[in-house]
Amino acid sequence: MKINNLKKRLKSLIWRKIKNKFYDFRIKETAIIQNINYSSLTNQKKAVVSYLTDSYTKDWEHNNIGRTQPIEILSITKTLADAGYCIDVVGCNDTKTLYYLENKNYDLIFGFGEVFFRLTEKQPQAMSILYMTEHHPEFADKAEKDRIAYYYKRHKKRARIVRSGNYYKPHHFKKPFSEVITMSELEPFKNNYQNPYPIFPTGVVNTNFVFNKKDHKTTRKNFLWLGSYGAIHKGLDILLDVFENRDDITLHIAGLSEEDEKLLNPKKRENIINHGYINIKSKTFLEVVQTCSFIILPSCSEGCSTSITTGMLHGLIPIVIRNTGFNRLNENAFFLDDHKVSYVDQKLTEISKKTPLELENYSKRVNEFAKNNFSTDSFENNFKKIIKNILKLTE
């Protein structure tokens, strides 16, 4: 016992000496935000959100937001606060937080990740709402493995799984939860849930964007791939194989990670333009938008990717693969039914020959659909409707 006390005192002494040197990290890496919307009422309901905590540690009003999740998390917690809950927010995979929550009893457990799963195991009496920001893991894992195998078949280079299985693991799905809300396809959940709830993510908006007519006769030959890490998962390798053997259409690449660039090694060609990282709120992004008619993402699995919602909010017409997370876009996207290089090559020829008038009307419709469905107001309103419906059903 004395040894343990000595260790604690020694750690405390060292921490007091060095903690200010790590101040930025202390703010950024906050593992738990507790007691949001606390009331002294003794019967106040308690909820925990297992997701990310940095929505509460950064100044989103004055700093560039390159991601959509932080604002969506604020909308989620606000909705639960409006419903009367006192809320804790925890890192979804930071299992050490469970030690600090072990004496709390929750009425509602919301989110995903290992923390979400373990809390539902420990507190089975609580209502549990699984929040899916990705496709069902059974689909996603197989789809990514298939893409990696297809890349190896063509290029004899090995790639690793980078997107699937990080937050949604097979053992999380061995039992049903009370409800499920998903950004992806509904079909995988219909066997276990009577009413899986769909919701769209938001998109990032450049406030200087104004929808204007384009010269689609020219821009219909230009396609934007807007991504992040996991370029094979997101189908960039397939596009490179198409565009490297053509010179009549141009591929614009934005957001390619250093690791993926080293792996894929895009050829230096006039019709393949790697812009590197582009700030969505920059003038450069608006220039790329004005150059292209389409945003293309032949991904194997998504939760309706925010790169697509962002592109649509700026009038870009999406080209995506059917059943991979985008089906609810309906007539507001061009759907591919296969990811093979020869098929994609053929379809891009067809799409790039659409008439300028047809593309102009398509772009208008896409932009209107995006404004009505991908704004932060739309997300919060839709999330409120879902939560009200769930709570009404359980009263």
Side-chain angles (χ1 to χ4, degrees):
M1 191 71 176
K2 288 183 179 179
I3 293 176
N4 287 337
N5 287 335
L6 180 61
K7 285 182 178 178
K8 286 182 180 179
R9 290 172 60 188
L10 183 59
K11 286 180 180 178
S12 178
L13 176 63
I14 294 172
W15 180 239
R16 287 199 303 270
K17 294 290 186 181
I18 68 173
K19 65 180 182 179
N20 285 337
K21 297 182 183 297
F22 299 93
Y23 198 83
D24 289 342
F25 294 97
R26 287 164 57 198
I27 295 294
K28 182 180 179 181
E29 299 295 330
T30 298
I32 311 177
I33 306 292
Q34 298 188 73
N35 305 315
I36 299 168
N37 195 47
Y38 171 80
S39 169
S40 59
L41 295 174
T42 55
N43 61 346
Q44 186 181 22
K45 297 173 290 185
K46 291 182 173 60
V48 59
V49 174
S50 174
Y51 201 165
L52 299 171
T53 60
D54 61 357
S55 295
Y56 289 91
T57 62
K58 293 182 180 177
D59 180 4
W60 299 115
E61 185 177 351
H62 298 101
N63 288 299
N64 171 56
I65 303 177
R67 298 176 295 137
T68 59
Q69 300 100 321
I71 301 301
E72 292 169 6
I73 292 169
L74 293 176
S75 292
I76 288 167
T77 54
K78 181 179 183 299
T79 297
L80 296 178
D82 290 344
Y85 287 92
C86 174
I87 306 144
D88 296 339
V89 181
V90 298
C92 60
N93 277 343
D94 192 342
T95 54
K96 288 187 177 181
T97 60
L98 295 168
Y99 171 80
Y100 298 92
L101 304 176
E102 62 181 0
N103 294 320
K104 292 196 171 189
N105 291 313
Y106 293 108
D107 300 281
L108 171 60
I109 301 171
F110 175 94
F112 57 89
E114 189 64 23
V115 171
F116 170 82
F117 176 74
R118 292 195 193 180
L119 284 171
T120 62
E121 289 279 278
K122 183 182 178 183
Q123 302 190 36
Q125 81 289 346
M127 182 196 304
S128 55
I129 303 177
L130 173 65
Y131 188 57
M132 295 293 304
T133 62
E134 300 177 4
H135 211 312
H136 194 289
E138 287 183 3
F139 181 97
D141 182 63
K142 181 181 183 303
E144 185 164 9
K145 287 177 179 176
D146 287 348
R147 289 296 186 89
I148 290 172
Y150 184 48
Y151 178 70
Y152 180 79
K153 180 180 179 181
R154 291 164 15 242
H155 295 280
K156 299 298 182 286
K157 294 171 73 174
R158 299 195 182 278
R160 63 188 183 91
I161 293 176
V162 296
R163 301 289 302 197
S164 305
N166 294 322
Y167 301 105
Y168 300 93
K169 301 183 182 298
H171 68 274
H172 297 170
F173 294 81
K174 290 182 178 179
K175 64 170 187 179
F177 302 100
S178 304
E179 304 286 350
V180 60
I181 303 171
T182 180
M183 291 181 172
S184 192
E185 309 297 354
L186 296 173
E187 295 304 320
F189 299 99
K190 288 186 175 179
N191 288 336
N192 294 320
Y193 296 91
Q194 184 176 357
N195 185 31
Y197 293 93
I199 193 167
F200 280 121
T202 58
V204 183
V205 178
N206 186 316
T207 54
N208 293 318
F209 171 74
V210 177
F211 186 90
N212 291 318
K213 285 186 177 182
K214 290 181 182 176
D215 177 15
H216 284 285
K217 188 174 182 180
T218 300
T219 61
R220 65 183 174 177
K221 303 293 184 181
N222 288 263
F223 302 76
L224 170 64
W225 181 92
L226 178 62
S228 57
Y229 74 96
I232 291 178
H233 181 106
K234 293 178 177 291
L236 180 59
D237 61 309
I238 294 164
L239 295 180
L240 289 175
D241 280 5
V242 172
F243 283 80
E244 286 175 357
N245 289 288
R246 298 182 62 163
D247 56 16
D248 60 318
I249 53 176
T250 298
L251 176 65
H252 298 259
I253 303 169
L256 180 62
S257 71
E258 289 185 14
E259 179 183 342
D260 287 326
E261 185 173 6
K262 185 177 180 180
L263 175 66
L264 299 182
N265 192 25
K267 291 181 181 177
K268 304 292 184 183
R269 292 175 55 91
E270 288 187 7
N271 71 322
I272 298 177
I273 304 170
N274 186 0
H275 296 273
Y277 168 77
I278 296 182
N279 183 341
I280 301 301
K281 300 191 175 184
S282 69
K283 181 180 178 183
T284 300
F285 178 73
L286 294 183
E287 290 171 351
V288 173
V289 165
Q290 197 60 30
T291 301
C292 301
S293 289
F294 307 101
I295 182 164
I296 184 167
L297 192 74
S299 177
C300 65
S301 175
E302 292 289 340
C304 194
S305 168
T306 54
S307 71
I308 291 296
T309 60
T310 295
M312 292 174 69
L313 282 165
H314 298 87
L316 295 177
I317 303 167
I319 303 172
V320 293
I321 294 185
R322 200 180 306 278
N323 300 325
T324 58
F326 301 100
N327 287 1
R328 286 182 292 127
L329 296 180
N330 298 318
E331 71 278 4
N332 297 291
F334 286 115
F335 286 98
L336 307 176
D337 292 306
D338 196 355
H339 64 271
K340 296 298 190 293
V341 171
S342 58
Y343 172 84
V344 174
D345 188 20
Q346 173 197 335
K347 294 301 292 185
L348 293 191
T349 298
E350 292 178 15
I351 292 171
S352 66
K353 290 181 179 179
K354 298 290 182 182
T355 68
L357 180 59
E358 183 179 358
L359 294 178
E360 182 182 333
N361 292 333
Y362 214 124
S363 180
K364 285 180 184 176
R365 187 172 73 240
V366 161
N367 186 238
E368 286 302 314
F369 180 87
K371 288 189 293 185
N372 291 331
N373 289 279
F374 306 147
S375 69
T376 54
D377 287 346
S378 294
F379 177 88
E380 188 166 317
N381 288 334
N382 290 333
F383 188 78
K384 281 183 178 179
K385 289 176 184 176
I386 292 170
I387 293 299
K388 283 183 179 179
N389 193 59
I390 290 173
L391 297 181
K392 183 171 65 176
L393 291 174
T394 57
E395 285 175 354

